[in-house]
Amino acid sequence: MARIIYREARSRTFLWVFMALMAALVVTGLSSAWYMEHHGHIVTGMNNGIVWGLPHVFAIFLIVAASGILNMASLASVFGKTTYKPKARLSGLMSIALLVGGLSVLVLDLGRPDRLTVAMTSYNFKSIFAWNIFLYTGFIVIVGAYLIVQMTRSWMKWTGAVGTFAFVWRLILTTGTGSIFGWLVAREAFNAAMLAPLFIAMSLSLGLAIFITTRLLLDYGCGDRSLGTELIERLAKLLGIFIATTLYFQLLMHLTNLYSAARGGVERFLLVEGGIYPLLFWGGFVILGSLIPMALVFLPAFNRNRMMVGLASVLVIAGGLASIYVIVIGGQAFPLNIFPGMEVSSSFGDGQIQHYIPSLPELLLGIGGWALAALITLVGVKILPILPVEDNVTLNAAAAAG
Amino acid sequence: MKQRIRQVLATALLAVALGAMAGISWPGMASAGEASIQVAAVPAPAIPEAKPGTECVRDPEFMRRNHMDMLKHKRDLTVHEGNRLPEFSLNECIACHAVKGDDGKNVTVADSRHFCRSCHDYAAVKVDCFQCHASRPEAGDTALQSSPHGMNVLALSEFLKGVQE
Amino acid sequence: MSCTDKETCTCTPAGSLPVDGEASPGIEAGRRAFIKAGGAFATIALTPTVTLMSFGGGKANAAQESLDPKARWGLLIDVAKCGTGCSECVSACQKENGWQDTGHPETDAQWIRKVTVKNPKSGAVAELPVMCQHCDEPPCADVCPTGASFKRADGIVLVDKHLCIGCRYCMMACPYKARSFIHETLIDQKPYAPRGKGTVESCTMCVHRVDRGEIPACVESCNLTGGGAMMFGNLNDPQSEIAKRVAELTSTQLRPDLGVDPGVHYTYL
């Protein structure tokens, strides 16, 4: 098999323009964060009922996707699928980029972001949140090591070991992220062990969707053609499997809740009566984000077409955002059940659906996180040898060899 | 030849620069602690004086160096262990160090005459204590620990007078 | 961590460190006078059912060196006596701790609130105050990443705002919606109730009063001007009024199925 050569991305106007745009969005994100911190969270749509809003939806999306996007590299290093080997470096870089983007949104939305040093030095190890801090920072270090090992000739033999370590770490990390919600006894929409595997499934589908979209964009921007027809079809079908798995876990979680009389109320709220939430769940996640993309990736009419597969990926991304919105915000909107079976009312919103209208600073902060991830990716491919050349040659040679 | 001239010039320049720096700062170093008019671009802090006859828990030199560590240590004792002794109480510090403003009321940290600000502004070290803590004693609050708060202060003081007689 | 070694402790000036539980000389005079007055004062000036009686006989300290780790402070609320439309407890808490209604109910802090509970089948209606339940196994303390949300040895659950980073995870975790986040800059806080923008807070059971040997403001006002529905005391002291009542009456806790063992009990719910 021909040895793969990696190089830095060629300078193209498209690349520079995109980088400038991302940098501008990062600056708006930072300004929003400053605005929110200076005036207090009164300027956002978050309140004492909905305490985690749009920034957290974006942050969780980015963090979950960060873990999943490393899958391309894991397929190569851990599972020996050499077809994906050329993708491994980009996958690793984007994993770090997405995680940094997500973490920055999370940290900047804190009530006291100036207390980050406190968060880094004072830990309560009963809290899954505290564990996540280690898991996230450790992940950045490990994937960084993984990239270095791949780029250094004398250390290449360690790729498999470090890759496996990263793979296991990533599973633990995503379990931890899902368990932030899964381990809350108070909320009826959460408190399910299923949230951890659901987040792992989501990470796989979102990660691959983002990878495909980015790779197609980079191809366009750099004038490459790294995703040949064979590979596109394979990736499309893989995406289809991940979408199906995510859909399965989501439906199973809701079905289980529906079966319990106690949780009938919250399920009716999320799936039928809650206004925006059923709309986002059924329209956004199920139809736009799962069924239509699955049709696109499984039907032979579409799954060899780069545009269609790209479209499917974008729809999966949108569906992923919608489903995280329903989970995080819908889960908080339903009132706590302090007096089971009773109708309650008070001056503090007991018994009432909590309202939330996302505000502009929150949206700009979330988008800023996305832009930061994109910026890191672009700068990374520009200064490091990440993108492979002769990708198609490698693939075709491997196919010809049998 | 040119090389040698350059070396000499560079050395001379360095010597002049060092000499100037020494010359400017020597008077300041010699009279450390006093406001040196030639060099002070910012006036030395006007620290409000203590009321006569009162004493802080430690002497000023110790406090200047260590008050931040004391605060950090003692706040944990109060919050986690319920230690409310006066020498551990931030309210006692604030009450004793209260500075009166033009209207006769104690100033808050928004006023630059506030005790903490008088030094902290000069040192340009931001404190975030007063994001949560009240920066002046409550009106009518006397500094010492035995005054109970709540609705029945008057009744209690009457009673105390009766008991002591 | 507490300073017990007089030789190495640098906090207090030499000679004024408390010796074996005694207070330093300056405090002694004040404390003696207060203790003398305290007992007589309480029984005469305040209604008999509350305050010192609820303590199980503990002495009133003006300023203590540490909490009592064997105590477990709790509340007992008689829902039958809680008056419709009465919100004395809420007003007293507001006055004591410095929070108020600014006309934005969704973002305003509420340490305690009156909840109206109606049985949809029978139509029966009750009102009761709900505040931080000071659980024995507080979910808020379990989830706090920095350890800011914690339970004191005497059972009072607090937020150590020096450590709070404002992540609001405890607000997600609390089953009783007890916690509030401060959404704006605050000024002129009460000296004994520090609260600030960007941190989370909840009912402290008036820990500053409890540490002085007093009772929470809500309980005091309920008994003075309200329906007399609230009682405070040491649940671990079998001789205390509250422990006796909890033992003899049928009282319940909110959401006992969660297993967090709240320190607030309700009778006639």
Side-chain angles (χ1 to χ4, degrees):
Chain A
M1 191 163 94
R3 200 172 57 137
I4 309 164
I5 299 172
Y6 299 92
R7 59 157 163 76
E8 297 85 357
R10 285 189 295 246
S11 285
R12 291 290 180 101
T13 320
F14 173 83
L15 222 55
W16 294 122
V17 168
F18 212 69
M19 256 199 245
L21 183 62
M22 292 300 112
L25 285 175
V26 168
V27 168
T28 16
L30 286 172
S31 323
S32 303
W34 183 88
Y35 180 65
M36 278 163 47
E37 201 270 329
H38 187 72
H39 291 101
H41 274 61
I42 193 90
V43 300
T44 70
M46 293 180 261
N47 49 48
N48 284 325
I50 307 274
V51 304
W52 284 353
L54 207 56
H56 295 84
V57 172
F58 275 89
I60 290 167
F61 173 87
L62 288 167
I63 291 171
V64 161
S67 138
I69 206 167
L70 195 62
N71 202 36
M72 294 269 81
S74 301
L75 283 171
S77 307
V78 180
F79 298 105
K81 302 269 185 262
T82 44
T83 332
Y84 299 108
K85 201 158 186 328
K87 316 288 177 229
R89 292 191 193 186
L90 181 62
S91 156
L93 172 68
M94 289 198 71
S95 186
I96 296 178
L98 286 168
L99 192 61
V100 169
L103 287 177
S104 61
V105 173
L106 213 53
V107 166
L108 289 172
D109 176 73
L110 288 175
R112 296 294 302 261
D114 52 309
R115 292 233 172 118
L116 189 58
T117 34
V118 171
M120 297 197 298
T121 48
S122 167
Y123 291 103
N124 164 27
F125 284 115
K126 257 187 124 176
S127 164
I128 187 66
F129 224 50
W131 281 110
N132 277 347
I133 294 174
F134 282 108
L135 288 169
Y136 296 153
T137 44
F139 189 61
I140 294 175
V141 170
I142 290 168
V143 179
Y146 186 40
L147 277 176
I148 291 171
V149 151
Q150 287 178 74
M151 291 197 269
T152 311
R153 182 77 31 85
S154 46
W155 290 342
M156 267 185 194
K157 57 184 185 292
W158 295 110
T159 313
V162 182
T164 311
F165 191 32
F167 177 71
V168 173
W169 192 278
R170 176 181 131 215
L171 288 179
I172 300 174
L173 183 150
T174 322
T175 306
T177 311
S179 302
I180 291 176
F181 301 96
W183 293 2
L184 291 177
V185 297
R187 309 255 168 189
E188 293 178 331
F190 308 144
N191 192 24
M194 192 96 70
L195 275 161
L198 169 62
F199 271 49
I200 291 185
M202 259 204 303
S203 79
L204 294 172
S205 68
L206 292 177
L208 185 53
I210 294 180
F211 186 82
I212 292 174
T213 328
T214 312
R215 193 64 258 216
L216 288 174
L217 271 172
L218 279 175
D219 277 358
Y220 172 72
C222 301
D224 287 341
R225 200 174 184 272
S226 70
L227 292 180
T229 327
E230 296 286 336
L231 197 52
I232 272 280
E233 192 187 347
R234 260 196 232 192
L235 288 178
K237 287 186 180 157
L238 192 58
L239 183 63
I241 295 172
F242 292 154
I243 298 170
T245 318
T246 310
L247 190 59
Y248 166 74
F249 277 116
Q250 280 266 24
L251 290 177
L252 187 57
M253 193 171 77
H254 285 288
L255 268 173
T256 313
N257 279 348
L258 277 166
Y259 212 79
S260 137
R263 300 209 180 180
V266 70
E267 287 298 320
R268 197 165 38 247
F269 170 72
L270 287 176
L271 301 181
V272 181
E273 296 174 351
I276 180 89
Y277 307 109
L279 183 66
L280 283 175
F281 182 77
W282 295 111
F285 168 68
V286 175
I287 297 176
L288 273 184
S290 304
L291 296 176
I292 294 181
M294 275 208 285
L296 288 175
V297 300
F298 283 131
L299 292 174
F302 301 115
N303 63 9
R304 294 170 78 88
N305 181 327
R306 295 150 66 86
M307 289 293 284
M308 286 297 134
V309 176
L311 176 65
S313 304
V314 169
L315 288 176
V316 169
I317 292 172
L321 268 175
S323 79
I324 295 177
Y325 190 98
V326 172
I327 291 173
V328 173
I329 297 178
Q332 297 174 73
F334 194 72
L336 288 167
N337 193 11
I338 306 177
F339 300 95
M342 304 288 169
E343 288 172 10
V344 294
S345 62
S346 78
S347 56
F348 201 37
D350 287 276
Q352 287 145 30
I353 306 292
Q354 310 297 315
H355 292 121
Y356 173 67
I357 300 173
S359 64
L360 187 62
E362 296 172 71
L363 180 64
L364 290 177
L365 178 59
I367 290 178
W370 228 345
L372 181 61
L375 190 60
I376 293 175
T377 308
L378 287 171
V379 170
V381 300
K382 192 85 196 61
I383 63 177
L384 294 170
I386 298 281
L387 297 178
V389 292
E390 291 155 74
D391 219 330
N392 296 334
V393 174
T394 311
L395 180 65
N396 292 337
Chain B
M1 180 58 183
K2 271 194 201 155
Q3 178 83 330
R4 177 51 60 113
I5 293 173
R6 278 198 210 113
Q7 281 174 350
V8 169
L9 275 176
T11 319
L13 192 60
L14 193 58
V16 166
L18 282 172
M21 272 167 36
I24 289 170
S25 52
W26 187 250
M29 286 199 286
S31 60
E34 292 170 30
S36 174
I37 300 169
Q38 300 125 279
V39 304
V42 177
I47 304 171
E49 290 200 355
K51 300 183 190 56
T54 63
E55 209 176 61
C56 187
V57 288
R58 295 298 293 260
D59 60 278
E61 278 310 311
F62 180 90
M63 286 307 251
R64 274 178 204 144
R65 287 217 167 277
N66 299 311
H67 70 282
M68 56 293 277
D69 296 318
M70 286 174 75
L71 285 169
K72 273 194 88 173
H73 175 53
K74 292 179 177 188
R75 71 186 189 187
D76 290 335
L77 294 178
T78 302
V79 174
H80 288 263
E81 299 188 19
N83 189 325
R84 303 274 179 182
L85 293 174
E87 57 265 33
F88 289 69
S89 163
L90 183 68
N91 286 331
E92 292 297 326
C93 310
I94 291 172
C96 222
H97 284 290
V99 172
K100 292 234 186 288
D102 300 323
D103 54 358
K105 291 202 220 148
N106 293 317
V107 298
T108 65
V109 71
D111 186 317
S112 60
R113 288 170 293 180
H114 188 268
F115 179 79
C116 307
R117 276 194 62 178
S118 59
C119 263
H120 273 271
D121 280 1
Y122 179 79
V125 176
K126 189 171 167 204
V127 288
D128 78 342
C129 319
F130 301 115
Q131 286 209 37
C132 286
H133 284 280
S135 53
R136 61 179 171 189
E138 213 173 357
D141 187 2
T142 53
L144 298 180
Q145 69 290 349
S146 53
S147 62
H149 298 258
M151 302 166 6
N152 299 300
V153 178
L154 287 173
L156 177 62
S157 58
E158 285 303 309
F159 212 95
L160 277 173
K161 281 194 209 137
V163 165
Q164 279 162 352
E165 270 146 22
Chain C
M1 175 188 36
S2 57
C3 275
T4 48
D5 185 347
K6 294 187 266 301
E7 310 309 314
T8 56
C9 176
T10 54
C11 293
T12 57
S16 70
L17 197 67
V19 176
D20 290 338
E22 284 175 31
S24 60
I27 309 172
E28 265 311 325
R31 181 186 284 187
R32 255 180 259 130
F34 187 72
I35 292 170
K36 257 192 237 164
F41 173 61
T43 22
I44 293 172
L46 302 174
T47 50
T49 47
V50 294
T51 327
L52 232 44
M53 307 286 267
S54 328
F55 277 70
K59 72 177 196 280
N61 291 326
Q64 64 175 32
E65 194 189 347
S66 76
L67 51 83
D68 176 5
K70 294 207 209 61
R72 191 188 169 190
W73 300 114
L75 293 174
L76 177 63
I77 296 172
D78 184 340
V79 181
K81 287 195 188 152
C82 186
T84 316
C86 170
S87 58
E88 288 297 315
C89 50
V90 178
S91 322
C93 182
Q94 287 174 325
K95 191 155 164 288
E96 178 71 22
N97 295 299
W99 56 275
Q100 57 275 322
D101 175 11
T102 67
H104 300 111
E106 288 186 339
T107 48
D108 283 341
Q110 281 231 278
W111 291 26
I112 181 174
R113 73 244 188 218
K114 286 294 295 285
V115 176
T116 309
V117 181
K118 176 174 167 208
N119 187 329
K121 299 209 170 52
S122 69
V125 178
E127 274 190 25
L128 54 137
V130 176
M131 70 296 280
C132 169
Q133 302 287 291
H134 297 280
C135 306
D136 197 44
E137 295 195 39
C140 60
D142 281 346
V143 302
C144 177
T146 56
S149 180
F150 71 103
K151 184 185 75 166
R152 259 180 29 157
D154 61 357
I156 298 182
V157 175
L158 296 171
V159 179
D160 181 347
K161 293 185 198 151
H162 308 120
L163 294 176
C164 181
I165 56 174
C167 74
R168 289 102 71 199
Y169 195 21
C170 59
M171 293 175 75
M172 290 283 266
C174 177
Y176 305 105
K177 204 172 188 272
R179 292 238 157 137
S180 305
F181 181 63
I182 304 188
H183 293 77
E184 299 174 275
T185 310
L186 298 177
I187 48 167
D188 268 334
Q189 295 91 329
K190 298 280 175 184
Y192 281 99
R195 25 191 321 255
K197 175 186 69 159
T199 57
V200 173
E201 58 175 10
S202 65
C203 154
T204 56
M205 218 189 272
C206 282
V207 64
H208 55 284
R209 289 171 63 122
V210 171
D211 282 350
R212 282 201 301 260
E214 296 170 18
I215 59 171
C218 53
V219 178
E220 188 178 67
S221 76
C222 183
N223 289 293
L224 283 174
T225 47
M230 298 175 81
M231 175 183 285
F232 167 82
N234 181 354
L235 292 166
N236 278 354
D237 176 5
Q239 301 309 313
S240 71
E241 188 64 34
I242 192 174
K244 288 189 205 156
R245 293 249 183 124
V246 167
E248 72 196 20
L249 292 172
T250 313
S251 68
T252 181
Q253 298 156 318
L254 297 181
R255 291 300 302 275
D257 61 299
L258 293 176
V260 294
D261 190 16
V264 180
H265 296 254
Y266 294 84
T267 55
Y268 303 109
L269 181 54

